[in-house]
Every structure is written in structure tokens, then in C-alpha cells.
Amino acid sequence: MDFFLWWRDGVIYQIYPRSFSDSNGDGLGDLVGIVSHLDYLQDLGIDAIWLSPFQPTPDKDFGYDISNYMDVDPRFGTLADFSRLVAEAHRRDIRIILDLVLNHTSDQHTWFRESRSSQDNLKRDWYIWRDHPNNWQASFGGSAWEYDPVTRQYYLHLFTKEQPDVNWRNREVRKAMLDVFRFWMELGADGFRLDVFNAYFKDPQLPDNPPKFGLRAFDRQQHIHDIDQPEMMPFLNELRSLLDSYPERYAVGETYLATLPKTVSYCGKGKLHAAFSFDFTANDLSFPWNPAWLRDQIARREEVFNGAAIWPTTVMSNHDLPRAAGRYGRGEDDAQAKLAMTLLLTLRGTPFLYYGEEIAMRDISLKRSEILDPPGRKYWPIYKGRDGCRSPMQWNDEPFAGFSNTRPWLPVHPDYAQRNVAAQQADPHSMFNFTKDLLRLRKETPALRRGSYTPLQAPRGTLAYLRQTDDQSVLVAMNFSKRQVNLPWPAGDWRVILTTSEDARGVLAPYQIQLFIKV
Ligand code: NOJ
């Protein structure tokens, strides 16, 4: 039986709203800008959009510090614009997923302003206040505790000090958070991406984390008391009941520092639909990118996810990572980007495609004085932050790449005159048309969406696997090397359904990608 379940069989496209399209000439992207490109997204062939946060934010972590969960930041639009976006997206059969950042609020949220106003304020217990800090470290550097001179206590923040962690053990907090989900579902949201959800609950005794080897103070401790507490499960259960009271709603969790088995444990009946396992990403440029490593990574996740009958997710790029095209490729050549896209769209799991990935956008490089991202400002030049992968979408070769008619909040990549949507739409061999072809094939081919995964023996430098349903078999073959390679051929008759060059069956030219279907 092949029915199309949007969050399992579809492809989810992540938009970082301030960088997608600026409709009102303030240099920041906005919701109306997104609406104006829905036809583009429909034509590309995606099924859902995940919007990074667009709620009011003082921008201490560029949207991941929210001061009001139930509104739209005026720079990005209004609630009416959101409703229009939902209606227009639904009209094109595109679902809308919101990013909910509920582990922490902005320090400008009225909840925190009240909480910090006095020790006996009714919202004092909505955050985590203590007389003495423990050894916990903030992910963006320094102690996770900030002293507040007004009430002479410390509050906990796992990220910047402007992002105080909410006390999820407080009943009223949990109720307020469930109201946030309800509010957006009533406005038509189809799903949610939960920011660092497995950090919601902390060990109530707040014990020191034990030490381990690592570079930064943050890495020199085992994060066992600040994440992954057992109280998460009953909450997920409550959340899932709420989601299930609306038709076809979805929640995907962003796991924070979690192991693969732990990630899987958060998904399934009465829990989340999915959680990111980040099998092919790393912040570190030395991450291996070769078939042997990929085969192992795929095998690892297949074992864990298949064993638990849980649907995996596949991610190559997002707003926190160097873009895959530049992470794995050099210069302007898109061969590696096409290999990454093939994995993204042909492995078993829901693909998450990051805006601009379809034209293999590269990261911008910034001078120290231009860095905006807090961890980049703190750790430059060891770590230059995440601005690089958040540059404006490159639509065409007009000034500011057609993103805006004024100087954008981050510079446009200098390659935009050549690398842009319009130019690639006109080039049959472009990354754009390759991505679009693959998206179309994936949609037409049940084996690519739902089929099992079987690795094939393949010569060094190549990766080959089968995706199979009861009545369909697809063979995916990729050459990661600059040599021509002969590929042993499985029995049967195979018809080519996609290829990056015209070479014969069984021979893979350098960096060639071929997909076949059994006839
Ligand atoms: C994970 C988000 O993806 C990242 O962008 C953010 O900085 C942290 N969570 C804190 O919210």
C-alpha cells in the first residue's frame, strides 16, 4: 500500500526567514517575502516548510531568544501575514512547520521580567534560580549561571545569558507551553520543530556534571545532569495527545548532545514523530566524507532506526552548520554537492533541505568586525560562528541577488552573479535542475520514499545501495572519486532513471551519479 503521508514521505524545506526574501526593503527577509516565493517552492517540489523562528526577538541569538511566543516580530510581518502564508501554502499542498524555542525564553519575555523582579514574584519559579552556581557551562561559553544583582541570586542559561532557561518542572510553565502549541495549531500550523527539547528538564538537585577530556570548558564535562532527564517522557506523552487531537500534526525534535539510541528513544507512539540524528553533519571541517565512512554512518542509523521501527530524518545543512556544498566540496565545482543531495534525497528517512541548498550556496566569509553570531564573536578565529550559512538567498544577478532592494542584514555571497536561482533554472546541468529532477523522481517512486535500504558491495571510492518495496527496486550508485570505476552489476534488467553523465551502465565516470529502476 502506498499512501503519501506528508511528514514521512515528503521533503521538508527549511527557511531562515530573515534571509529568504525581503518584501519591504528593510534588509531583512519577512513572511510576505516567503509568500511571494511559494510558487517557486511548489515548482521545486517540496512538501513542507520549516520556518526558523519569526516571533518577537531582541536578536541576542537571532530569533532563538523569543520575547513573545504568540506573535510575529513586526520586522517579519503580522499574524495576518502568517495566516495568509498558511492559506497560500496549503493551497499549494505545502505544510507549515514552526520552530518552537521552549527550553529558554529571551530575558525580555514578560515571564522573565516578572520572575527577576523579586524573589517572591509569582513567576519566580518559572525560571531556575539558585544562591550558588554549580559547574554547568553554557553552550556558547562561560558559566551557565548569571548573577542577578536585583534579587541577589543566579539564574540558569544553557545558551547566552540573555536566554534564561525555563523551569519545566513548574506545572504552570508546562501549561503555558502547551497553550503555545495550541495557539499555532489553531492558526493552521501543521507541525513543530522543537529546539533543544531534550534539555527542557534538568536534574532537580542540580549536581555538578562529572569531568571528561575536551577542548573548551563546556566539552570538559559529561552532560548528564543538564539534559535527558526521565521527566521528558511524560511530557512528550502529553504533547503527543495534544498534537493527535488535531489531524496529521507532526513534531520533530532537535536533540542536544544526545547519543543515537537516546535520540531514537524519544520517538514513536506517545512520543515525537521524529528527532534529528545528524548522521552526516559536523561543525568540524575535518569530518571524513568518503564512501567507507558514509556506509558506516548509514549502517549505524539503519540498525538503530529500523530496529525500533522509527522513521529517520536526513540532514546535510541547516542554520547552525557550514553548508554541505562548501563543507565537502572545494571551489565552485558542485560535484560533491550533488553527491550530498543524492544521499539526502535517496536515503531512507525524511529529507530536510536547507534554503539555497538546491543551488549549492556556499557560506559567506566575514571579517571579525562583521561577525554577528554570539559564539562566533566569543571564539573567533577558532570558531567563526554561524553567520556564514545564513546569508541572503541568491535569486538572480540583480543587486543584492534579488533578495532585497537595500543592503541586507548579512552580506550576499560574492558569487551570486553566477550562482543564483535564475541562472541555474536556465542550465539543464545545474545543481538546481539536478535537485528538482531528484525531487520529482522521489515523489514518483515509492521505493525511494518507503523502500528498505540494502548496501551493495562496491569498489573503493564508490557507494551503491538498493531501495526496495515489494514491487519496485531502485539502485543508487555514486562515484566519490576522480577515477573511472567499474561497478559490479546486480542481476536483472535495469533502466536508467537519472544520471549526471552519459557513461555506460556498470561504469561510473569521476563523481558520476546514476539511478536505475529494475524493469
Ligand atoms: C539550537 C538552534 O538550532 C540554534 O540556532 C540556537 O542557537 C540554539 N538551539 C539555542 O536556541
Side-chain angles (χ1 to χ4, degrees):
M1 187 177 55
D2 180 50
F3 69 101
F4 192 92
L5 182 56
W6 72 269
W7 57 263
R8 181 192 58 198
D9 301 318
V11 175
I12 300 174
Y13 186 95
Q14 182 190 355
I15 292 182
Y16 193 66
R18 68 188 67 210
S19 294
F20 197 61
S21 177
D22 171 17
S23 74
N24 61 355
D26 63 358
L28 282 178
D30 45 56
L31 298 185
V32 172
I34 297 171
V35 173
S36 70
H37 288 288
L38 286 174
D39 285 340
Y40 164 79
L41 294 173
Q42 184 183 25
D43 175 63
L44 180 62
I46 55 99
D47 302 278
I49 300 171
W50 149 25
L51 297 160
S52 279
F54 53 77
Q55 291 96 339
T57 170
D59 270 354
K60 295 298 178 196
D61 188 17
F62 296 94
Y64 286 85
D65 52 318
I66 288 174
S67 53
N68 179 356
Y69 288 118
M70 300 196 192
D71 205 350
V72 175
D73 190 300
R75 294 168 303 165
F76 302 139
T78 60
L79 282 172
D81 293 334
F82 176 76
S83 294
R84 199 175 137 228
L85 170 59
V86 169
E88 290 293 325
H90 286 174
R91 214 157 61 75
R92 294 166 176 83
D93 217 12
I94 293 175
R95 306 298 207 282
I96 296 291
I97 297 174
L98 255 67
D99 203 328
L100 291 185
V101 188
L102 308 180
N103 172 69
H104 43 268
T105 67
S106 156
D107 63 352
Q108 299 307 307
H109 197 296
T110 51
W111 297 348
F112 189 68
R113 286 169 181 248
E114 285 182 41
S115 183
R116 84 189 318 182
S117 66
S118 77
Q119 287 208 21
D120 50 18
N121 184 276
L122 288 178
K123 293 226 163 39
R124 185 63 171 184
D125 186 50
W126 282 42
Y127 293 83
I128 301 169
W129 294 94
R130 288 294 181 274
D131 289 332
H132 304 287
N134 62 12
N135 76 345
W136 296 1
Q137 296 291 306
S139 161
F140 292 161
S143 165
W145 295 92
E146 181 71 13
Y147 182 68
D148 192 47
V150 180
T151 54
R152 296 200 293 273
Q153 276 193 316
Y154 293 82
Y155 65 84
L156 180 71
H157 60 90
L158 294 188
F159 295 89
T160 70
K161 65 180 171 44
E162 292 88 1
Q163 292 165 292
D165 278 49
V166 163
N167 178 14
W168 274 81
R169 291 178 182 280
N170 181 303
R171 226 177 237 287
E172 289 173 36
V173 166
R174 289 206 298 280
K175 187 179 162 307
M177 293 308 195
L178 287 172
D179 286 345
V180 174
F181 286 90
R182 216 173 273 119
F183 175 83
W184 290 107
M185 286 196 286
E186 288 296 327
L187 288 181
D190 300 285
F192 302 96
R193 176 258 188 199
L194 308 184
D195 192 76
V196 296
F197 77 97
N198 60 320
Y200 289 177
F201 291 90
K202 285 86 183 164
D203 185 321
Q205 307 308 323
L206 303 173
D208 280 352
N209 278 326
K212 77 169 176 61
F213 287 112
L215 199 60
R216 301 181 307 148
F218 178 83
D219 309 315
R220 283 199 297 273
Q221 48 185 251
Q222 300 170 43
H223 293 274
I224 58 170
H225 299 305
D226 44 355
I227 58 167
D228 290 331
Q229 299 301 303
E231 290 79 359
M232 197 61 219
M233 295 303 180
F235 173 71
L236 289 183
N237 210 271
E238 215 177 324
L239 171 62
R240 183 63 185 257
S241 304
L242 173 63
L243 296 175
D244 287 349
S245 66
Y246 291 76
E248 277 199 11
R249 295 310 203 265
Y250 168 68
V252 55
E254 184 210 26
T255 40
Y256 176 60
L257 309 170
T259 60
L260 192 50
K262 197 79 207 173
T263 300
V264 171
S265 74
Y266 289 120
C267 310
K269 200 160 175 275
K271 299 185 263 184
L272 298 176
H273 298 77
F276 292 124
S277 53
F278 298 122
D279 310 291
F280 310 105
T281 61
N283 266 333
D284 154 11
L285 291 173
S286 67
F287 217 48
W289 175 247
N290 58 53
W293 175 76
L294 286 165
R295 231 185 318 267
D296 287 352
Q297 288 296 98
I298 302 167
R300 232 179 108 229
R301 82 182 210 147
E302 278 297 316
E303 193 187 325
V304 182
F305 281 96
N306 226 352
I310 287 172
W311 198 243
T313 60
T314 314
V315 176
M316 291 289 163
S317 297
N318 68 25
H319 65 292
D320 290 330
L321 302 162
R323 285 176 176 274
R327 192 177 343 127
Y328 300 136
R330 296 284 163 269
E332 287 293 313
D333 183 61
D334 288 345
Q336 301 298 329
K338 286 182 178 167
L339 289 163
M341 186 61 78
T342 306
L343 287 165
L344 180 67
L345 297 180
T346 68
L347 284 175
R348 213 175 63 84
T350 304
F352 283 74
L353 213 157
Y354 186 50
Y355 82 95
E357 200 168 354
E358 70 275 32
I359 54 167
M361 269 172 62
R362 309 299 208 258
D363 283 29
I364 50 169
S365 113
L366 296 175
K367 296 202 276 287
R368 182 176 196 163
S369 59
E370 296 171 317
I371 303 274
L372 299 177
D373 186 32
R377 289 166 79 105
K378 180 155 184 116
Y379 292 113
W380 199 94
I382 299 168
Y383 176 61
K384 294 184 176 169
R386 301 163 295 176
D387 302 311
C389 65
R390 299 175 176 179
S391 65
M393 179 69 176
Q394 295 164 210
W395 293 105
N396 54 42
D397 63 1
E398 287 164 23
F400 311 120
F403 162 76
S404 173
N405 56 18
T406 190
R407 186 165 300 285
W409 74 290
L410 277 177
V412 174
H413 196 288
D415 73 3
Y416 81 92
Q418 296 77 39
R419 184 178 295 285
N420 61 63
V421 169
Q424 293 202 14
Q425 280 174 328
D427 171 3
H429 302 294
S430 67
M431 180 73 189
F432 175 85
N433 280 312
F434 176 77
T435 306
K436 193 173 159 183
D437 286 350
L438 258 181
L439 283 164
R440 182 184 40 75
L441 262 184
R442 194 188 143 87
K443 188 153 279 175
E444 287 169 358
T445 318
L448 279 179
R449 287 188 272 110
R450 303 291 320 279
S452 59
Y453 163 88
T454 312
L456 293 176
Q457 288 287 350
R460 234 177 119 220
T462 65
L463 186 66
Y465 48 84
L466 294 175
R467 297 291 314 278
Q468 288 171 301
T469 55
D470 287 345
D471 40 25
Q472 198 174 50
S473 295
V474 172
L475 168 67
V476 181
M478 289 176 262
N479 186 355
F480 284 72
S481 80
K482 52 178 187 245
R483 291 172 304 116
Q484 176 176 305
V485 181
N486 294 327
L487 202 65
W489 205 251
D493 255 357
W494 297 82
R495 176 168 59 83
V496 69
I497 48 175
L498 183 133
T499 179
T500 47
S501 57
E502 292 316 313
D503 288 271
R505 156 189 140 148
V507 178
L508 283 176
Y511 308 115
Q512 187 178 0
I513 298 157
Q514 291 181 325
L515 265 71
F516 297 86
I517 196 161
K518 196 168 191 178
V519 283

